[in-house]
Amino acid sequence: MILSILTTNAALNARHSRPLGLLCALIATISAALSGGCAGLPPGADHPRVASVALVDPKGTKLGRQFADSAEAHAAMSGFRILPVGVDGFLTRVQMIEAAERTLDLQYFIFRGDETGHLITEALMRAAARGVRVRVLVDDGDTQDGDERLLALDGQPSIEIRVFNPFAYRGHVELIRAAEFLFYSRRLNYRMHNKLLVVDNAIALIGGRNIGNQYFQMDPESQFADDDVFTAGPVVQLLSARFDEYWNSPLSIPAAALGAGNHSASARAAPAKPLRGLDSKGIDYVAMLKSDEPYAGMISGRLPLAWANSQVVCDSPDKKDVENGARRGRLMAPQVSQAAALVQTELLIITPYYVPAKREIQLVETLRGRNVRIAILTNSLESAPSLLAQAGYSGYRKPLLAEGAEIYELRALLGSTRGSGQTARISRFGNYSLHAKLFVFDRERIFIGSMNFDQRSKRLNTEIGLIIDSPDLAGQIVARFDAMTRPENAYVLSLHDARSGTGRNIVWDTVEQGKPLEYASEPARSWWQRLTVRLLTLLPVDREL
């Protein structure tokens, strides 16, 4: 992670040309961290706070009554509907917030202060104004300038914001953040990667999407394909219990302890901007909100839910202490691995990053030894959001292919938008990238959640998700997998004998403009991108990825 942050921050913005001011800020930051960092706790850990829990009786709300009755009619199972379309993820969030009567609980790794983030923030303010209790827990590992608008809401009536494992420095000068990380990497390397929204302890939205334009596939510069699952029924109360555990953790610091009140009132009152670059192309997302779809369809039953048994899988908020045996708690990765180990015929993996540990490599070998089909969809070098993670993944391709696993790498410019979660209009910019985290077990069960198939998700991030026993949902994901792995949308990897006779090399097959193409060298946006990844493969950072 240290190398990752230094790589990310290597090109510092030349506009920060006041070295004395930077030095003073750096000294103040380190002093603040030293004074408040006892026992590995973040700054502000001693700030007064009041423990709180989810709504005790959700049946006192309209949604609670409706889905309690529905669950009873379905043998106490829970209802689910997958939302593969990015825009639907945005619309459903706002519409769920607007429907809240008593409580709203939000937990996110990233909550951007861009157009969609602002619109969701405004919906939270409206909910609080009508008396809904709003609790928002956000991580502090990937904040950007403007994201602090959310923290500025803390202290308003009915709104409380907490920050998980925060930095002492609250500005956005990359050099200062990187310096603080170097001094306190053991604590700051530990991040909360969870994504969860719960309304009235009756319905929830869980999956891989953060809050921000690119996560809803609205930004021409970057679209992250992902999935949420709308959830109703008894499992929601289990998700709320996990939220409460994180909310009341010593690592979750009240925004007031971080000086959130110092932000100007103008940050709270700034008007929402039009969605960048999209209104001009005839898409009015604000108008789409007024239709109440797809939320209204799911609530009315017109868009039916799949009712099934399910299991919440989640790391404890003090996962790092559970990992090293210092404390009892839950670890999520072993539960997902156990489900994978039980498959008999097929394991499908959809993940933006694939950096397996030794145990996962052994699992692949064991499953292939039983002739289980293993098919992996991940990012290509063209579509990779992180070149460092791509470098870590690249060395595992040959062994996987040699074992008989199938590997498909998603292209940044799609030949077909079927299954992509977005329109051809936005896809034509060629900035498509995979962000979903899904497993399909024997086409009978699925995992959906926040966990990437990499060592960071297993060791350094907290995660949450659901394992759902539903052939219906499994079939939907398989159909999307099949659409996205077609040659016009992905590179199909295979091993061919090298002409020199010295071994086997990877070949990338695809279809461009209706014509089959075969690449003997890894497709990339530029020679520089390819060279950068080759250099990064020399770094021993797999455990940080």
Side-chain angles (χ1 to χ4, degrees):
M1 179 66 175
I2 296 174
L3 288 170
S4 174
I5 283 197
L6 291 180
T7 302
T8 303
N9 297 319
L12 292 173
N13 195 321
R15 291 175 299 175
H16 301 296
S17 56
R18 299 173 63 184
L20 182 59
L22 286 178
L23 179 61
C24 290
L26 180 58
I27 292 172
T29 296
I30 294 173
S31 298
L34 284 170
S35 64
C38 299
L41 292 176
D46 57 350
H47 187 83
R49 71 177 95 184
V50 177
S52 59
V53 297
L55 182 64
V56 175
D57 183 17
K59 290 184 180 180
T61 67
K62 180 179 178 181
L63 290 170
R65 289 189 297 273
Q66 175 181 342
F67 286 108
D69 293 342
S70 297
E72 186 175 346
H74 290 89
M77 293 188 292
S78 296
F80 305 95
R81 187 175 182 88
I82 293 177
L83 302 176
V85 176
V87 173
D88 286 349
F90 165 66
L91 298 173
T92 302
R93 279 169 172 80
V94 177
Q95 292 156 359
M96 287 174 65
I97 292 169
E98 299 287 13
E101 292 180 46
R102 297 282 300 280
T103 61
L104 280 166
D105 294 328
L106 291 83
Q107 181 179 14
Y108 284 98
F109 176 59
I110 290 172
F111 198 121
R112 287 282 176 258
D114 58 15
E115 292 86 354
T116 54
H118 195 166
L119 290 170
I120 290 173
T121 300
E122 287 183 331
L124 293 173
M125 294 172 65
R126 288 193 296 271
R130 63 178 184 267
V132 176
R133 185 195 68 182
V134 177
R135 299 187 295 176
V136 183
L137 176 61
V138 292
D139 189 72
D140 199 35
D142 193 18
T143 56
Q144 294 181 2
D145 192 9
D147 294 351
E148 66 273 3
R149 181 184 292 130
L150 175 71
L151 272 62
L153 299 182
D154 183 70
Q156 293 196 26
S158 300
I159 298 179
E160 187 174 0
I161 314 292
R162 293 186 181 179
V163 182
F164 190 87
N165 197 15
F167 282 68
Y169 172 62
R170 305 312 305 161
H172 301 285
V173 178
E174 299 273 356
L175 175 62
I176 300 178
R177 279 180 67 91
E180 183 180 349
F181 182 90
L182 287 173
F183 274 92
Y184 299 98
S185 59
R186 186 173 181 181
R187 176 177 68 81
L188 292 173
N189 204 16
Y190 182 62
R191 306 309 331 163
M192 182 196 75
H193 198 237
N194 308 33
K195 290 97 175 172
L196 178 64
L197 164 62
V198 183
V199 178
D200 289 339
N201 202 6
I203 59 174
L205 202 64
I206 183 172
R209 288 190 180 104
N210 292 298
I211 304 295
N213 293 354
Q214 66 184 160
Y215 298 101
F216 301 127
Q217 296 172 266
M218 296 180 175
D219 189 346
E221 296 179 7
S222 173
Q223 306 103 46
F224 282 165
D226 214 327
D227 292 79
D228 296 305
V229 59
F230 176 86
T231 305
V235 74
V236 174
Q237 295 182 36
L238 299 178
L239 292 170
S240 286
R242 300 287 76 82
F243 177 90
D244 288 345
E245 187 177 19
Y246 276 82
W247 180 258
N248 295 310
S249 165
L251 291 168
S252 298
I253 306 303
L258 305 175
N262 293 333
H263 297 297
S264 67
S266 62
R268 298 194 295 267
K273 302 174 183 177
L275 292 165
R276 184 176 66 251
L278 295 177
D279 284 344
S280 61
K281 296 173 177 60
I283 304 175
D284 188 344
Y285 293 104
V286 176
M288 290 175 68
L289 284 170
K290 298 176 183 177
S291 73
D292 259 357
E293 298 295 343
Y295 172 79
M298 293 185 289
I299 294 299
S300 68
R302 186 167 32 80
L303 298 176
L305 306 184
W307 291 85
N309 292 315
S310 61
Q311 173 188 356
V312 175
V313 285
C314 183
D315 291 313
S316 295
D318 49 5
K319 172 180 178 174
K320 61 183 186 303
D321 293 330
V322 179
E323 282 270 10
N324 62 29
R327 185 170 299 186
R328 296 182 63 184
R330 292 175 310 280
L331 296 175
M332 175 175 166
Q335 298 176 74
V336 179
S337 295
Q338 182 180 22
L342 294 175
V343 300
Q344 299 298 310
T345 59
E346 182 184 68
L347 174 63
L348 302 184
I349 300 172
I350 302 173
T351 179
Y353 312 116
Y354 188 93
V355 186
K358 183 177 181 180
R359 184 180 302 172
E360 282 84 44
I361 296 171
Q362 292 172 343
L363 175 61
V364 170
E365 294 172 350
T366 299
L367 293 178
R368 287 299 303 146
R370 302 204 313 258
N371 204 32
V372 171
R373 180 197 180 203
I374 298 177
I376 303 164
L377 175 62
T378 190
N379 279 305
S380 64
L381 177 54
E382 287 179 350
S383 65
S386 166
L387 293 186
L388 193 61
Q390 192 72 12
Y393 149 71
S394 63
Y396 294 98
R397 293 182 293 202
K398 280 189 179 181
L400 284 166
L401 293 168
E403 284 288 345
E406 302 169 26
I407 302 179
Y408 304 90
E409 293 183 350
L410 200 65
R411 291 176 49 180
L413 179 60
L414 302 176
S416 167
T417 57
R418 182 181 177 186
S420 70
Q422 62 191 38
T423 64
R425 180 180 294 166
I426 198 74
S427 294
R428 70 186 181 189
F429 292 95
N431 293 314
Y432 192 78
S433 184
L434 184 66
H435 195 257
K437 310 96 166 52
L438 298 160
F439 289 70
V440 182
F441 312 107
D442 286 334
R443 305 198 177 197
E444 296 287 334
R445 313 171 73 200
I446 69 165
F447 163 80
I448 182 169
S450 66
M451 185 185 78
N452 297 312
F453 201 102
D454 61 12
Q455 296 190 50
R456 166 156 286 278
S457 280
K458 294 176 181 67
R459 299 177 51 253
L460 300 173
N461 291 342
T462 70
E463 309 285 357
I464 190 170
L466 294 169
I467 295 176
I468 307 172
D469 300 332
S470 173
D472 182 12
L473 298 183
Q476 294 175 35
I477 296 174
V478 169
R480 191 179 185 199
F481 183 95
D482 291 344
M484 294 311 298
T485 56
R486 292 176 61 87
E488 61 263 35
N489 287 331
Y491 298 105
V492 184
L493 277 62
S494 59
L495 288 176
H496 288 202
D497 291 331
R499 293 179 180 177
S500 62
T502 57
R504 308 188 76 190
N505 292 331
I506 298 175
V507 171
W508 289 259
D509 286 299
T510 190
V511 170
E512 294 181 8
Q513 298 180 343
K515 297 180 180 179
L517 285 178
E518 180 179 285
Y519 290 90
S521 296
E522 184 168 11
R525 290 183 180 269
S526 66
W527 67 269
W528 177 248
Q529 187 189 43
R530 190 182 292 117
L531 175 61
T532 301
V533 167
R534 288 178 180 174
L535 293 174
L536 290 173
T537 60
L538 304 176
L539 300 176
V541 294
D542 275 18
R543 286 174 61 83
E544 302 287 331
L545 301 178

